[in-house]
Amino acid sequence: MSSVIQMPEQTVGERISGRDVEAIRNLVYDRFGINLTEQKKTLVVGRLQKVLRERNFSTFRAYFDWLINDKTGEGLDELANRISTNHTFFNREKAHFEYFAKTVLPAAVARREAAGDIGLRIWCAGCSSGQEPYTLMMLMKEYFGDRFSKWKPMLLATDISATALRTAMTGEYEADAVQQLPPAMCNRYFAKTANGQLRVTGEVRQNIVYRRHNLMDAKFPFKKQFDVIFCRNVMIYFDRDTRNTLVAKYYQHTVPGGHLFIGHSETLGRDETPWEYVMPAVYIKND
Ligand SMILES: C[S@@+](CC[C@H](N)C(=O)[O-])C[C@H]1O[C@@H](n2cnc3c(N)ncnc32)[C@H](O)[C@@H]1O
Protein backbone atom coordinates (compact mmCIF):
# COMPACT_ATOMS: atom_id res chain seq x y z
CA MET A 1 0.00 0.00 0.00
CA SER A 2 1.46 3.37 -0.93
CA SER A 3 2.10 5.85 1.84
CA VAL A 4 2.31 8.78 -0.60
CA ILE A 5 -0.84 10.79 -0.60
CA GLN A 6 -1.53 12.89 -3.68
CA MET A 7 -2.69 16.40 -2.87
CA PRO A 8 -5.58 17.65 -4.94
CA GLU A 9 -4.61 20.62 -7.12
CA GLN A 10 -8.06 22.00 -7.57
CA THR A 11 -9.99 23.99 -4.99
CA VAL A 12 -13.61 24.56 -5.80
CA GLY A 13 -15.37 25.74 -2.68
CA GLU A 14 -17.75 23.19 -1.33
CA ARG A 15 -17.96 21.43 -4.66
CA ILE A 16 -15.70 18.43 -4.71
CA SER A 17 -14.01 17.59 -7.98
CA GLY A 18 -13.07 14.19 -9.37
CA ARG A 19 -9.48 14.81 -8.33
CA ASP A 20 -10.58 15.62 -4.78
CA VAL A 21 -12.48 12.38 -4.60
CA GLU A 22 -9.42 10.54 -5.90
CA ALA A 23 -7.27 12.11 -3.16
CA ILE A 24 -9.75 11.02 -0.50
CA ARG A 25 -9.99 7.56 -2.00
CA ASN A 26 -6.19 7.22 -1.77
CA LEU A 27 -6.18 8.44 1.81
CA VAL A 28 -8.99 6.12 2.88
CA TYR A 29 -7.31 3.15 1.20
CA ASP A 30 -3.95 4.04 2.65
CA ARG A 31 -5.09 4.51 6.23
CA PHE A 32 -8.09 2.18 6.59
CA GLY A 33 -7.70 -0.37 3.79
CA ILE A 34 -11.17 0.57 2.58
CA ASN A 35 -11.49 0.48 -1.18
CA LEU A 36 -14.04 3.10 -2.21
CA THR A 37 -15.33 1.95 -5.56
CA GLU A 38 -16.63 4.18 -8.38
CA GLN A 39 -20.15 3.28 -7.32
CA LYS A 40 -19.51 4.72 -3.86
CA LYS A 41 -18.47 8.09 -5.31
CA THR A 42 -21.82 9.86 -4.86
CA LEU A 43 -22.09 8.59 -1.33
CA VAL A 44 -18.60 9.80 -0.45
CA VAL A 45 -19.12 13.22 -2.03
CA GLY A 46 -22.36 13.68 -0.10
CA ARG A 47 -20.78 12.71 3.20
CA LEU A 48 -17.70 14.88 2.69
CA GLN A 49 -19.66 17.95 1.68
CA LYS A 50 -21.49 17.65 4.97
CA VAL A 51 -18.17 17.47 6.89
CA LEU A 52 -16.85 20.56 5.06
CA ARG A 53 -19.98 22.51 5.97
CA GLU A 54 -20.00 21.38 9.60
CA ARG A 55 -16.34 22.25 10.04
CA ASN A 56 -16.57 25.53 8.13
CA PHE A 57 -14.02 24.72 5.48
CA SER A 58 -14.64 26.77 2.36
CA THR A 59 -12.48 24.62 0.12
CA PHE A 60 -11.76 20.98 -0.12
CA ARG A 61 -8.02 21.66 -0.13
CA ALA A 62 -8.25 23.42 3.27
CA TYR A 63 -10.09 20.41 4.69
CA PHE A 64 -7.63 17.95 3.16
CA ASP A 65 -4.61 19.92 4.46
CA TRP A 66 -6.07 19.99 7.95
CA LEU A 67 -6.86 16.30 7.75
CA ILE A 68 -3.41 15.07 6.86
CA ASN A 69 -1.62 17.46 9.23
CA ASP A 70 -3.92 17.01 12.21
CA LYS A 71 -1.83 15.49 15.00
CA THR A 72 -4.79 14.78 17.30
CA GLY A 73 -6.15 12.14 14.93
CA GLU A 74 -9.59 13.72 15.33
CA GLY A 75 -9.99 14.42 11.62
CA LEU A 76 -9.11 10.90 10.52
CA ASP A 77 -11.33 9.54 13.24
CA GLU A 78 -14.22 11.54 11.89
CA LEU A 79 -13.40 10.50 8.33
CA ALA A 80 -13.41 6.82 9.41
CA ASN A 81 -16.81 7.35 11.01
CA ARG A 82 -18.25 9.01 7.92
CA ILE A 83 -16.80 6.63 5.37
CA SER A 84 -17.32 3.30 7.10
CA THR A 85 -20.57 1.39 6.86
CA ASN A 86 -21.60 0.27 10.31
CA HIS A 87 -24.70 -1.71 9.44
CA THR A 88 -25.12 -4.68 11.78
CA PHE A 89 -27.80 -6.44 13.83
CA PHE A 90 -28.23 -9.01 16.59
CA ASN A 91 -27.90 -12.66 15.54
CA ARG A 92 -26.83 -11.66 12.02
CA GLU A 93 -26.09 -14.69 9.82
CA LYS A 94 -27.67 -16.89 12.45
CA ALA A 95 -26.15 -20.18 11.19
CA HIS A 96 -22.76 -18.87 12.32
CA PHE A 97 -23.91 -18.33 15.88
CA GLU A 98 -25.50 -21.78 15.96
CA TYR A 99 -22.27 -23.35 14.72
CA PHE A 100 -20.27 -21.30 17.21
CA ALA A 101 -22.44 -22.40 20.18
CA LYS A 102 -22.85 -26.05 19.19
CA THR A 103 -19.45 -26.91 17.71
CA VAL A 104 -16.75 -24.25 17.89
CA LEU A 105 -17.16 -23.24 21.52
CA PRO A 106 -17.33 -26.82 22.93
CA ALA A 107 -14.25 -27.76 20.84
CA ALA A 108 -12.34 -24.72 22.10
CA VAL A 109 -13.29 -25.50 25.69
CA ALA A 110 -12.21 -29.15 25.32
CA ARG A 111 -8.89 -28.03 23.79
CA ARG A 112 -8.25 -25.55 26.58
CA GLU A 113 -9.23 -28.09 29.23
CA ALA A 114 -6.84 -30.69 27.78
CA ALA A 115 -4.05 -28.11 27.85
CA GLY A 116 -4.89 -27.10 31.44
CA ASP A 117 -5.40 -23.49 30.38
CA ILE A 118 -8.88 -22.00 30.68
CA GLY A 119 -7.93 -18.64 29.15
CA LEU A 120 -10.41 -18.77 26.28
CA ARG A 121 -9.94 -15.80 23.92
CA ILE A 122 -12.29 -14.52 21.27
CA TRP A 123 -11.86 -11.49 19.04
CA CYS A 124 -14.64 -9.72 17.27
CA ALA A 125 -12.79 -7.54 14.72
CA GLY A 126 -14.96 -4.83 13.12
CA CYS A 127 -17.63 -5.13 15.82
CA SER A 128 -19.43 -1.91 14.85
CA SER A 129 -22.10 -0.90 17.40
CA GLY A 130 -21.85 -4.09 19.46
CA GLN A 131 -24.68 -6.37 18.31
CA GLU A 132 -22.25 -9.09 17.19
CA PRO A 133 -20.11 -9.29 20.38
CA TYR A 134 -23.24 -9.05 22.55
CA THR A 135 -24.80 -11.97 20.67
CA LEU A 136 -21.60 -13.95 21.24
CA MET A 137 -21.40 -13.10 24.92
CA MET A 138 -25.05 -14.02 25.51
CA LEU A 139 -24.43 -17.38 23.81
CA MET A 140 -21.40 -17.95 26.00
CA LYS A 141 -23.43 -17.09 29.09
CA GLU A 142 -26.00 -19.67 28.01
CA TYR A 143 -23.35 -22.27 27.24
CA PHE A 144 -21.29 -21.93 30.41
CA GLY A 145 -24.17 -21.34 32.83
CA ASP A 146 -22.80 -21.79 36.36
CA ARG A 147 -19.31 -22.37 34.97
CA PHE A 148 -19.16 -18.86 33.47
CA SER A 149 -17.29 -17.28 36.37
CA LYS A 150 -14.73 -20.10 36.31
CA TRP A 151 -14.12 -19.75 32.57
CA LYS A 152 -14.67 -16.01 32.23
CA PRO A 153 -13.95 -16.02 28.47
CA MET A 154 -12.12 -12.97 27.17
CA LEU A 155 -14.08 -11.29 24.39
CA LEU A 156 -12.24 -8.45 22.70
CA ALA A 157 -14.35 -6.30 20.38
CA THR A 158 -12.61 -3.73 18.17
CA ASP A 159 -13.52 -1.25 15.50
CA ILE A 160 -12.03 1.77 13.80
CA SER A 161 -15.12 3.87 14.33
CA ALA A 162 -15.20 5.66 17.67
CA THR A 163 -18.87 6.52 17.14
CA ALA A 164 -19.85 2.88 16.63
CA LEU A 165 -17.82 1.89 19.70
CA ARG A 166 -19.58 4.49 21.84
CA THR A 167 -22.94 2.89 21.02
CA ALA A 168 -21.46 -0.55 21.65
CA MET A 169 -20.18 0.40 25.08
CA THR A 170 -23.49 1.96 26.07
CA GLY A 171 -25.31 -1.18 24.94
CA GLU A 172 -28.63 0.62 24.37
CA TYR A 173 -30.77 -0.22 21.36
CA GLU A 174 -34.23 0.45 20.00
CA ALA A 175 -36.76 -2.06 21.30
CA ASP A 176 -37.26 -3.64 17.86
CA ALA A 177 -33.51 -4.25 17.39
CA VAL A 178 -33.69 -7.51 19.32
CA GLN A 179 -36.31 -9.14 17.10
CA GLN A 180 -33.80 -11.60 15.64
CA LEU A 181 -32.89 -12.98 19.06
CA PRO A 182 -34.80 -15.80 20.78
CA PRO A 183 -37.34 -14.26 23.24
CA ALA A 184 -35.77 -16.10 26.20
CA MET A 185 -32.44 -14.41 25.52
CA CYS A 186 -34.11 -10.99 25.19
CA ASN A 187 -35.82 -11.44 28.55
CA ARG A 188 -32.67 -12.61 30.27
CA TYR A 189 -30.11 -10.18 28.90
CA PHE A 190 -31.94 -6.88 28.29
CA ALA A 191 -33.59 -4.39 30.61
CA LYS A 192 -35.99 -1.58 29.64
CA THR A 193 -34.59 1.92 30.08
CA ALA A 194 -36.59 4.96 31.20
CA ASN A 195 -36.82 6.17 27.59
CA GLY A 196 -38.26 2.88 26.31
CA GLN A 197 -35.06 1.47 24.85
CA LEU A 198 -33.50 -1.86 25.71
CA ARG A 199 -30.13 -2.03 27.42
CA VAL A 200 -27.88 -5.06 27.53
CA THR A 201 -27.52 -6.09 31.17
CA GLY A 202 -24.33 -5.30 33.07
CA GLU A 203 -23.35 -8.98 33.41
CA VAL A 204 -23.05 -9.16 29.60
CA ARG A 205 -21.60 -5.68 29.00
CA GLN A 206 -18.91 -5.99 31.66
CA ASN A 207 -17.42 -9.10 30.10
CA ILE A 208 -16.60 -7.47 26.78
CA VAL A 209 -13.47 -5.40 26.27
CA TYR A 210 -14.05 -2.69 23.65
CA ARG A 211 -11.06 -1.06 21.98
CA ARG A 212 -10.50 1.22 19.02
CA HIS A 213 -8.21 -0.59 16.61
CA ASN A 214 -7.33 -0.21 12.97
CA LEU A 215 -6.98 -3.55 11.19
CA MET A 216 -4.46 -1.89 8.85
CA ASP A 217 -1.96 -1.38 11.69
CA ALA A 218 1.23 -3.14 10.68
CA LYS A 219 1.32 -5.24 13.84
CA PHE A 220 -1.46 -6.45 16.10
CA PRO A 221 -0.77 -5.60 19.74
CA PHE A 222 -1.67 -9.07 21.10
CA LYS A 223 0.77 -11.45 22.76
CA LYS A 224 -1.60 -14.40 23.13
CA GLN A 225 -3.41 -16.16 20.33
CA PHE A 226 -7.19 -16.32 19.94
CA ASP A 227 -9.42 -19.40 19.88
CA VAL A 228 -11.90 -17.75 17.54
CA ILE A 229 -11.83 -14.63 15.37
CA PHE A 230 -14.97 -13.08 13.95
CA CYS A 231 -14.32 -10.60 11.14
CA ARG A 232 -17.61 -10.52 9.29
CA ASN A 233 -18.74 -7.99 6.71
CA VAL A 234 -15.58 -5.93 7.19
CA MET A 235 -13.30 -7.26 4.44
CA ILE A 236 -16.03 -6.68 1.88
CA TYR A 237 -14.58 -3.15 1.61
CA PHE A 238 -10.98 -4.37 1.22
CA ASP A 239 -9.28 -5.43 -2.00
CA ARG A 240 -7.83 -8.91 -2.46
CA ASP A 241 -4.27 -8.13 -1.36
CA THR A 242 -5.42 -6.30 1.74
CA ARG A 243 -7.78 -9.16 2.59
CA ASN A 244 -5.09 -11.82 2.09
CA THR A 245 -2.58 -9.90 4.23
CA LEU A 246 -5.16 -9.52 6.97
CA VAL A 247 -6.27 -13.17 7.07
CA ALA A 248 -2.61 -14.24 7.13
CA LYS A 249 -2.20 -12.08 10.25
CA TYR A 250 -5.34 -13.63 11.74
CA TYR A 251 -3.78 -17.05 11.10
CA GLN A 252 -0.67 -16.14 13.09
CA HIS A 253 -2.84 -14.86 15.92
CA THR A 254 -5.05 -17.97 16.17
CA VAL A 255 -4.35 -21.15 18.17
CA PRO A 256 -4.02 -24.40 16.19
CA GLY A 257 -7.55 -25.78 15.79
CA GLY A 258 -9.00 -22.27 16.12
CA HIS A 259 -11.63 -20.78 13.82
CA LEU A 260 -12.14 -17.72 11.63
CA PHE A 261 -15.64 -16.49 10.75
CA ILE A 262 -16.04 -14.09 7.83
CA GLY A 263 -19.17 -12.62 6.21
CA HIS A 264 -21.28 -14.76 3.87
CA SER A 265 -20.66 -12.42 0.97
CA GLU A 266 -16.88 -12.63 1.46
CA THR A 267 -14.60 -15.41 0.24
CA LEU A 268 -11.04 -16.56 0.76
CA GLY A 269 -9.23 -18.00 -2.26
CA ARG A 270 -8.34 -21.65 -1.52
CA ASP A 271 -4.78 -21.24 -2.81
CA GLU A 272 -4.24 -17.81 -1.31
CA THR A 273 -4.50 -18.58 2.39
CA PRO A 274 -3.54 -21.36 4.81
CA TRP A 275 -7.04 -21.33 6.35
CA GLU A 276 -9.05 -24.48 5.63
CA TYR A 277 -12.68 -24.26 4.61
CA VAL A 278 -15.19 -25.74 7.08
CA MET A 279 -18.57 -24.41 5.93
CA PRO A 280 -19.75 -21.21 4.22
CA ALA A 281 -17.69 -18.34 5.63
CA VAL A 282 -16.10 -20.47 8.41
CA TYR A 283 -12.45 -21.56 8.34
CA ILE A 284 -10.14 -23.54 10.63
CA LYS A 285 -6.42 -23.40 11.37
CA ASN A 286 -5.47 -27.02 10.97
CA ASP A 287 -1.85 -27.22 11.99
C1 LIG B 1 -20.66 -3.55 8.18
S1 LIG B 1 -19.87 -3.44 9.75
C2 LIG B 1 -19.87 -5.15 10.24
C3 LIG B 1 -20.25 -5.32 11.69
C4 LIG B 1 -20.35 -6.78 12.17
N1 LIG B 1 -19.06 -7.43 12.09
C5 LIG B 1 -21.40 -7.54 11.41
O1 LIG B 1 -21.05 -8.43 10.62
O2 LIG B 1 -22.58 -7.25 11.57
C6 LIG B 1 -18.15 -3.19 9.25
C7 LIG B 1 -17.31 -2.58 10.37
O3 LIG B 1 -15.93 -2.66 10.01
C8 LIG B 1 -15.28 -1.51 10.52
N2 LIG B 1 -14.01 -1.30 9.79
C9 LIG B 1 -13.83 -0.96 8.49
N3 LIG B 1 -12.53 -0.81 8.22
C10 LIG B 1 -11.86 -1.07 9.37
C11 LIG B 1 -10.48 -1.07 9.75
N4 LIG B 1 -9.52 -0.75 8.87
N5 LIG B 1 -10.17 -1.38 11.02
C12 LIG B 1 -11.13 -1.69 11.93
N6 LIG B 1 -12.45 -1.69 11.64
C13 LIG B 1 -12.81 -1.38 10.38
C14 LIG B 1 -16.29 -0.41 10.27
O4 LIG B 1 -16.06 0.72 11.09
C15 LIG B 1 -17.63 -1.12 10.58
O5 LIG B 1 -18.05 -0.89 11.90
Side-chain angles (χ1 to χ4, degrees):
M1 229 178 266
S2 142
S3 58
V4 180
I5 294 155
Q6 293 292 319
M7 283 292 291
E9 287 163 17
Q10 217 170 334
T11 56
V12 281
E14 279 195 11
R15 293 191 47 203
I16 299 175
S17 72
R19 260 187 252 176
D20 297 337
V21 175
E22 202 44 41
I24 275 292
R25 276 178 64 179
N26 289 342
L27 181 69
V28 167
Y29 179 71
D30 202 68
R31 302 290 167 95
F32 315 132
I34 298 174
N35 190 16
L36 293 171
T37 54
E38 264 304 303
Q39 295 96 299
K40 291 261 169 74
K41 202 168 148 180
T42 326
L43 184 89
V44 173
V45 168
R47 289 182 184 179
L48 289 183
Q49 276 172 333
K50 206 162 165 244
V51 178
L52 255 69
R53 269 198 301 277
E54 284 167 8
R55 288 203 168 265
N56 284 325
F57 285 110
S58 56
T59 66
F60 176 79
R61 179 185 277 269
Y63 167 66
F64 195 85
D65 279 349
W66 170 75
L67 198 57
I68 58 171
N69 292 311
D70 167 41
K71 299 264 185 300
T72 66
E74 188 196 324
L76 278 174
D77 206 34
E78 181 185 53
L79 183 66
N81 286 330
R82 298 294 173 108
I83 294 295
S84 61
T85 303
N86 304 114
H87 177 67
T88 183
F89 50 93
F90 286 105
N91 220 5
R92 182 181 196 177
E93 299 176 15
K94 193 165 128 204
H96 274 171
F97 290 112
E98 283 168 5
Y99 188 67
F100 170 77
K102 290 205 176 97
T103 307
V104 172
L105 187 56
V109 165
R111 194 172 52 237
R112 289 273 174 190
E113 240 160 8
D117 168 11
I118 58 167
L120 197 67
R121 289 165 60 82
I122 292 153
W123 180 17
C124 191
C127 66
S128 189
S129 39
Q131 289 86 334
E132 187 176 52
Y134 284 131
T135 307
L136 286 171
M137 186 47 78
M138 288 180 225
L139 288 173
M140 288 198 281
K141 282 259 169 201
E142 295 287 293
Y143 174 78
F144 284 113
D146 293 345
R147 296 180 303 155
F148 188 87
S149 51
K150 175 188 163 202
W151 277 84
K152 231 179 177 307
M154 206 294 259
L155 175 51
L156 172 71
T158 62
D159 202 281
I160 198 168
S161 163
T163 309
L165 285 172
R166 262 195 298 278
T167 305
M169 282 187 263
T170 308
E172 261 184 50
Y173 304 94
E174 296 298 328
D176 60 5
V178 300
Q179 274 168 359
Q180 307 285 334
L181 287 170
M185 266 165 77
C186 297
N187 294 337
R188 209 165 297 151
Y189 301 116
F190 289 87
K192 263 227 164 80
T193 64
N195 58 6
Q197 292 201 302
L198 289 179
R199 184 163 199 213
V200 179
T201 55
E203 56 163 343
V204 173
R205 285 198 323 269
Q206 282 150 19
N207 286 297
I208 301 177
V209 177
Y210 284 107
R211 290 280 179 278
R212 185 157 186 271
H213 175 256
N214 185 352
L215 293 165
M216 293 305 111
D217 286 356
K219 270 189 142 193
F220 292 158
F222 316 123
K223 288 203 182 87
K224 293 186 181 165
Q225 292 175 311
F226 294 94
D227 295 84
V228 189
I229 298 179
F230 275 75
C231 182
R232 305 188 312 158
N233 307 299
V234 177
M235 294 186 285
I236 197 169
Y237 310 107
F238 299 167
D239 62 17
R240 195 174 167 160
D241 285 351
T242 308
R243 198 166 53 226
N244 284 344
T245 307
L246 184 59
V247 298
K249 278 160 80 185
Y250 285 153
Y251 199 80
Q252 283 169 14
H253 284 81
T254 303
V255 298
H259 287 79
L260 170 68
F261 287 75
I262 65 174
H264 275 104
S265 56
E266 298 158 328
T267 44
L268 300 186
R270 273 174 205 261
D271 304 326
E272 292 169 18
T273 122
W275 287 102
E276 277 185 36
Y277 176 88
V278 178
M279 60 182 261
V282 183
Y283 295 82
I284 190 166
K285 174 170 172 170
N286 251 342
D287 57 45

